[in-house]
Amino acid sequence: MKYYLAAALTLGFVAVPLGAEASETIAVLDVHHAGCALRGPIVKRTLEHVKGVKVVRVEQVNGDADVTAMVTFDDTVTNVAALVTATTNAGFPADVATAN
């Protein structure tokens, strides 16, 4: 019995890392209606509260411009649509940034 338990535990420790690999994805969002210098931190905090988000960097060229948010997240837990929904629900509609 002890051998079966030891074998099962060993197999469990080996199998868990194989299935638990997280895939990090980076999304760049244009966040609108965030023209005040105080709103950038609100956008950042909003995105940080989304489950699966690892890192958020918010840039605002000047105090009158919308912000750009670069979000690193675990795509097995969340997705870009959830990030956009979070900022929109906070009053700051967003969309995926396009290359100029």
Side-chain angles (χ1 to χ4, degrees):
M1 180 69 177
K2 290 181 184 179
Y3 298 110
Y4 292 118
L5 181 60
L9 287 174
T10 302
L11 181 60
F13 287 125
V14 171
V16 169
L18 296 176
E21 286 186 37
S23 177
E24 287 190 353
T25 302
I26 297 174
V28 180
L29 304 176
D30 287 328
V31 184
H32 310 289
H33 305 300
C36 173
L38 298 176
R39 294 185 182 159
I42 294 170
V43 170
K44 181 177 181 180
R45 210 169 38 248
T46 298
L47 289 167
E48 287 173 337
H49 282 90
V50 175
K51 186 176 181 179
V53 169
K54 307 282 185 188
V55 178
V56 178
R57 190 175 83 211
V58 175
E59 295 179 356
Q60 189 170 26
V61 178
N62 61 45
D64 297 328
D66 290 342
V67 299
T68 301
M70 184 179 294
V71 185
T72 304
F73 62 95
D74 179 347
D75 66 2
T76 63
V77 178
T78 193
N79 56 40
V80 174
L83 302 175
V84 169
T85 299
T87 61
T88 301
N89 288 345
F92 307 105
D95 50 34
V96 178
T98 56
N100 292 337

